[in-house]
Amino acid sequence: MKDESLVKDTFHVLKRQLNVYWETELPASFIENVRKAIKKTEAGWDTSVRNYYLSNGFSVLNTAVYSVFLYYLAHDIGSCGGVWNVHLADKIYYLNKIMNSVEWYWNIELPDHFIVEHPIGSVLGKAKFGDYFSIYQGVTVGERLSRDVVSWPVLGHHITMFANSSVIGTCNIGNWVIVSANAQIMNQNIPDCSIVYGVSPQLIIKTYEEEEIREYFVKSWKL
């Protein structure tokens, strides 16, 4: 990493933030977790074309970027197992929820390329997420419970979910799909290269050739 002071500054900011709510002792080795999470966050965002990130780089003051960083950090620590690691991952997840109003528990598997425009009010459950996933405010990806059977959506690669849209239950969402603002998909499959409008079961699905639909993604990703 070019700027080692960025890692140290982020470590100290995070330590102070955690101690606002919980008395938390962090070992010196924790700085390596911070470094790894920054690197992963940067790798994802560097493939995007979101101008505000490109102009400012990683910063704890960029709440969209910082929310993704906190998820990756909690996920990395919690996935190591052990009571102490899980407890710390829970704290970092909770801090993200307090600060950014996101419900992304650390044990979900978000992809390597994950960006958010306005993360506030988003809820992401234990679905299968494809790579190059982007969301806006109020997005929900969640379960359906029927007769004690829980079903989760499966999302392909290059999915964008706009404000207040949702994907719930037994859904297979194809690749190169845009879920428009306020669209509500429940227990329906969506084909590749589509834009989805409306509310299940009366969805409006417009399909395109891949080269056509890719034009909608150039504002998010370097294609």
Side-chain angles (χ1 to χ4, degrees):
M1 188 162 302
K2 294 180 180 179
D3 190 358
E4 186 64 20
S5 66
L6 173 64
V7 178
K8 294 179 181 178
D9 289 346
T10 303
F11 171 87
H12 290 299
V13 167
L14 181 59
K15 184 176 181 179
R16 290 195 299 271
Q17 289 173 341
L18 286 168
N19 277 285
V20 168
Y21 301 101
W22 312 279
E23 186 174 344
T24 305
E25 291 294 330
L26 297 175
S29 61
F30 182 71
I31 199 168
E32 295 302 322
N33 299 103
V34 171
R35 179 180 290 106
K36 182 178 178 180
I38 291 176
K39 185 176 180 180
K40 188 167 186 178
T41 304
E42 289 181 326
W45 283 81
D46 283 345
T47 59
S48 78
V49 293
R50 299 291 170 86
N51 290 333
Y52 63 85
Y53 172 73
L54 295 176
S55 61
N56 297 322
F58 178 89
S59 171
V60 298
L61 299 179
N62 185 322
T63 57
V65 173
Y66 194 50
S67 67
V68 175
F69 160 79
L70 289 174
Y71 160 75
Y72 284 140
L73 180 64
H75 181 74
D76 180 45
I77 292 170
S79 297
C80 293
V83 174
W84 187 88
N85 286 327
V86 168
H87 192 46
L88 179 57
D90 281 345
K91 289 180 179 180
I92 298 169
Y93 146 76
Y94 198 175
L95 179 68
N96 205 6
K97 187 172 183 178
I98 292 168
M99 296 185 65
N100 299 304
S101 296
V102 298
E103 180 64 66
W104 311 337
Y105 193 54
W106 62 262
N107 69 349
I108 65 174
E109 295 287 343
L110 292 175
D112 290 338
H113 300 94
F114 169 57
I115 59 175
V116 296
E117 185 69 28
H118 307 292
I120 190 168
S122 55
V123 179
L124 302 177
K126 296 185 73 174
K128 182 177 180 181
F129 296 95
D131 210 2
Y132 296 96
F133 181 49
S134 62
I135 65 170
Y136 288 70
Q137 67 270 24
V139 158
T140 299
V141 179
E143 68 177 27
R144 177 177 181 262
L145 177 62
S146 178
R147 297 180 180 178
D148 297 325
V149 176
V150 177
S151 57
W152 294 94
V154 176
L155 281 68
H157 65 74
H158 287 93
I159 306 292
T160 297
M161 297 182 65
F162 283 98
N164 302 313
S165 62
S166 65
V167 178
I168 304 294
T170 308
C171 303
N172 283 283
I173 311 299
N175 305 317
W176 301 101
V177 172
I178 295 171
V179 184
S180 64
N182 301 307
Q184 311 292 315
I185 304 171
M186 184 172 184
N187 301 324
Q188 286 189 252
N189 297 332
I190 306 299
D192 292 347
C193 304
S194 299
I195 299 179
V196 185
Y197 307 86
V199 177
S200 289
Q202 285 83 35
L203 293 174
I204 299 171
I205 303 172
K206 295 185 178 181
T207 58
Y208 298 81
E209 296 296 326
E210 184 174 320
E211 288 305 312
E212 293 179 293
I213 199 73
R214 283 167 65 97
E215 294 299 317
Y216 288 92
F217 287 87
V218 296
K219 295 180 180 180
S220 297
W221 303 105
K222 298 174 184 176
L223 302 178

